Amino acid sequence: QVQQVESGGGSVQAGGSLRLSCVITSEVQSTYCMGWFRQAPGKEREGVAAMDKDGKSTYADSVKGRFTISRDNAKTNLDLQMSSLIPEDAGMYYCAASTTHAICRLSAQRYNYWGPGTQVTVSS
């Protein structure tokens, strides 16, 4: 069983920063990929960043150079440092885990465990 809970969301002005955290309680050995996704109202859920069990990360083009995904050595916390935020970054952010896919891609259907989400608002 994999469970995760997100925190760190909030409201920020454009250009500001936020750090999201996800606490993971799981059978870690069975978790191949961990990632962050976001969903704005009326839009599909999109992948933001992901990291495999070896620490290799992948990012959406829209956030490269601005967002950084990280995980602690105990693999119980997955963070997303977001900088230079723009209004287009606003939405509900979800932490996700995959126990079925070892190759971490930013495709939501590859992830089978999801947290409840944390809201990010960016004002211009």
Side-chain angles (χ1 to χ4, degrees), residues 55-88:
K56 180 181 177 181
S57 59
T58 186
Y59 296 91
D61 288 342
S62 60
V63 306
K64 282 181 181 176
R66 301 188 298 120
F67 291 12
T68 302
I69 190 172
S70 62
R71 189 176 63 192
D72 65 348
N73 290 335
K75 301 180 181 178
T76 57
N77 287 276
L78 182 75
D79 290 349
L80 184 69
Q81 177 67 45
M82 306 186 295
S83 302
S84 302
L85 285 162
I86 59 178
E88 290 77 13

